[in-house]
Amino acid sequence: MVVEGDRTDMESGAPALAKTPGWEVVEHVVTEQDGKQEVHRVAETTIAQGKPIPPTYPTNDPEAEALAMQHPTTLNIERRSDGVYYHFHRVYQPRAAAFVNVWWNALFENYGDEDPASMDREKGLKFVKDMARVEKRKQVAIIRKAAQFLPEPWPQELRLAVHNDVAAVIDQIDPHDILELLRGDENDDKDADARLDEFAQQIEKDIAIAVRDTLRTAGVQMGTIRRFDELLKRERQRFAITDDYIDDAFRINLTLPGTLIGHNGDKTEDGAVVWEREGEYFYDREVELLATSKVANATR
């Protein structure tokens, strides 16, 4: 497995290849002229016959690994009278994204993907207010996802109270402050995304505190509240990992013994099947990779 990308993204985005037992990892770091560092990381392993093929990329964070891209894979070897058949089957499991991204996509399409930092002040403030409305929907949707894993569903009045908590936290944000974050500061060496990320993390903390207080007031037991805190953290991390895949590109090369009989790849190169996908291709749908080859029996 090979991963290439910006060092910052490799270290803070979706889990990348890591040195874990059973894998040999080699890494090269290249510093570009603009000072940014590009990482080229290769992980290699050998899997004994009959052993399971890893369903995800190797990471050194078990919690993140469980939330990362999952692709259960099998290679079945079938012996028939005319030869040996190799059946490769991989399924990339869907990443839930539409429940949030539908609103973000509509927002950016409405503004023609214009950079808010270049908008005039009036239009920029309108964009920020629209962005705040989308953020409310996002936070409520993620909270709802987390709450679905609790043993008892929340009554409707509690769901509405939590909705109000989210709205109260976001409504207290001054849109002028957000616009300044988007426009940047000459004395700040952080880019807009980094500044917004810090701000968003604080908002999520404030929302979690407000929701926790509402649950406590509603008489929810502390054990359940603590469990919900864990679930909310997990779902936020899951969506952050999913969101980070959007600018990734995947290329899967497969070489099987013998002659290819069939496959659903995009093309073949030097006898290998090649699949090429953008990260968002895995959103909200199952992606199946299939290939079969045959090693014919020797003729006499």
Side-chain angles (χ1 to χ4, degrees):
M1 295 181 178
V2 180
V3 172
E4 296 177 311
D6 178 82
R7 184 167 194 166
T8 301
D9 188 50
M10 292 272 284
E11 294 177 351
S12 62
L17 308 183
K19 295 180 180 179
T20 54
W23 290 85
E24 291 186 16
V25 179
V26 178
E27 179 178 299
H28 300 285
V29 179
V30 179
T31 302
E32 305 292 341
Q33 290 184 347
D34 59 4
K36 288 187 176 181
Q37 292 185 316
E38 292 286 321
V39 175
H40 179 95
R41 190 175 296 162
V42 180
E44 186 173 333
T45 190
T46 300
I47 303 164
Q49 183 175 354
K51 298 295 182 181
I53 298 174
T56 189
Y57 305 119
T59 75
N60 54 11
D61 182 350
E63 185 175 337
E65 181 176 314
L67 302 177
M69 182 84 75
Q70 302 290 315
H71 44 75
T73 306
T74 59
L75 176 64
N76 290 325
I77 302 173
E78 181 185 9
R79 300 184 182 279
R80 300 182 188 173
S81 59
D82 60 339
V84 181
Y85 290 75
Y86 294 81
H87 305 291
F88 173 86
H89 183 219
R90 169 174 287 185
V91 178
Y92 283 86
Q93 296 180 349
R95 309 286 308 184
F99 75 106
V100 169
N101 284 346
V102 63
W103 298 311
W104 284 114
N105 292 340
L107 171 67
F108 290 118
E109 287 175 7
N110 190 44
Y111 285 88
D113 291 325
E114 182 180 353
D115 185 353
S118 64
M119 298 176 184
D120 62 54
R121 192 160 192 82
E122 181 179 356
K123 186 175 183 180
L125 288 172
K126 184 178 184 303
F127 174 85
V128 168
K129 291 175 183 178
D130 288 342
M131 188 171 68
R133 281 192 283 271
V134 172
E135 185 63 22
K136 288 179 192 177
R137 293 170 176 170
K138 169 187 171 181
Q139 293 298 332
V140 169
I142 292 177
I143 288 172
R144 183 183 178 190
K145 281 272 187 184
Q148 288 176 346
F149 293 96
L150 292 172
E152 297 291 336
W154 287 350
Q156 184 161 308
E157 64 271 19
L158 182 54
R159 290 175 56 190
L160 289 171
V162 168
H163 186 284
N164 291 338
D165 288 335
V166 174
V169 170
I170 294 178
D171 286 345
Q172 55 85 31
I173 302 170
D174 188 337
H176 295 83
D177 292 341
I178 301 298
L179 186 58
E180 293 308 313
L181 284 175
L182 292 171
R183 291 180 183 276
D185 186 337
E186 294 179 356
N187 299 318
D188 191 345
D189 59 357
K190 298 177 181 177
D191 61 23
D193 287 341
R195 292 190 298 272
L196 280 173
D197 187 57
E198 289 180 357
F199 191 84
Q201 288 179 24
Q202 185 58 52
I203 292 300
E204 289 188 346
K205 289 180 182 177
D206 293 343
I207 289 173
I209 292 171
V211 171
R212 194 179 304 129
D213 289 342
T214 292
L215 296 177
R216 189 181 298 114
T217 301
V220 177
Q221 295 182 349
M222 284 306 302
T224 301
I225 294 176
R226 285 192 292 269
R227 175 58 179 155
F228 172 73
D229 283 342
E230 295 171 356
L231 291 168
L232 180 57
K233 178 183 176 182
R234 185 187 73 177
E235 291 308 309
R236 280 175 169 170
Q237 187 179 14
R238 187 197 307 276
F239 182 77
I241 291 173
T242 299
D243 199 42
D244 194 66
Y245 285 130
I246 195 167
D247 60 353
D248 290 349
F250 292 76
R251 177 185 169 96
I252 300 97
N253 292 3
L254 173 70
T255 302
L256 292 172
T259 303
L260 279 172
I261 293 178
H263 63 85
N264 67 348
D266 298 309
K267 57 185 177 181
T268 59
E269 292 182 357
D270 299 323
V273 185
V274 179
W275 293 267
E276 294 180 322
R277 298 287 185 271
E278 299 300 317
E280 63 181 343
Y281 189 90
F282 302 101
Y283 286 177
D284 304 300
R285 66 178 63 82
E286 181 179 272
V287 178
E288 188 177 42
L289 276 53
L290 298 166
T292 293
S293 72
K294 174 186 175 182
V295 177
N297 290 334
T299 56
R300 296 180 183 273

